[in-house]
Amino acid sequence: MFTGLRTRLDGHRQRLRKHWYKHAHKIVVGGVGGTIIFLGVLSVVTPVPTSLTLGVGFAVLGTEFIWAKRIIRHAKAYLKEHLPDAQAGRIDRLFAHVSRHSKRVADLLHHHIVKPLTPRRKRVKPPEPVVVIPEQVKEIP
């Protein structure tokens, strides 16, 4: 019963071992975004604005995960529906601003953390062209 599951997991483990650096970006972004969301949940009891902290956390996660993008989209629709029309423009600008800066944060994380960990490809030098110099042909007497 578990043999099919075991073979699928073994295949997944081998692919992960072989290409671990491709998953490093998601792992780093997930860790940073999860930490920001955790701090947002902790900020419920502190004077820090909870909604802003949670919004930034979900925006960082939204750069890599589809489920976080869906949460952001539903929150934006909810806020537009329940706030007056005068503030609807502000919501669009706020979400665009947070999205732009969270993309920058994700790019910085990739550049400073993931990129140094990825193995570099060895450059293969192209073979030098072989020049064949024809020998001089002797004249037939």
Side-chain angles (χ1 to χ4, degrees):
M1 178 177 155
F2 292 111
T3 56
L5 178 65
R6 185 172 290 147
T7 55
R8 273 192 267 155
L9 286 176
D10 287 340
H12 181 68
R13 283 188 201 119
Q14 287 175 358
R15 281 192 305 276
L16 189 61
R17 267 190 226 118
K18 188 176 181 182
H19 303 289
W20 64 269
Y21 52 89
K22 291 182 181 178
H23 301 285
H25 183 72
K26 274 194 173 187
I27 293 169
V28 169
V29 169
V32 170
T35 303
I36 293 172
I37 288 177
F38 179 71
L39 292 174
V41 170
L42 286 180
S43 68
V44 170
V45 294
T46 62
V48 179
T50 305
S51 58
L52 184 64
T53 310
L54 289 175
V56 169
F58 279 113
V60 169
L61 288 175
T63 60
E64 283 297 316
F65 300 104
I66 295 173
W67 58 267
K69 285 183 184 180
R70 287 185 189 140
I71 290 174
I72 292 170
R73 189 172 48 234
H74 289 302
K76 186 176 177 181
Y78 178 83
L79 288 174
K80 277 188 163 185
E81 182 179 315
H82 288 80
L83 289 177
D85 291 335
Q87 294 181 351
R90 287 183 180 176
I91 292 171
D92 286 334
R93 286 193 307 270
L94 176 69
F95 275 88
H97 186 73
V98 169
S99 173
R100 184 173 51 249
H101 287 295
S102 64
K103 180 66 176 155
R104 286 182 186 168
V105 168
D107 289 342
L108 283 172
L109 290 173
H110 177 75
H111 182 72
H112 291 291
I113 295 174
V114 177
K115 198 172 181 182
L117 294 176
T118 57
R120 296 185 181 210
R121 293 182 182 175
K122 294 180 181 175
R123 291 187 179 182
V124 179
K125 293 181 181 177
E128 295 182 17
V130 179
V131 179
V132 179
I133 301 174
E135 294 181 16
Q136 294 208 359
V137 181
K138 295 180 181 176
E139 291 183 19
I140 300 179

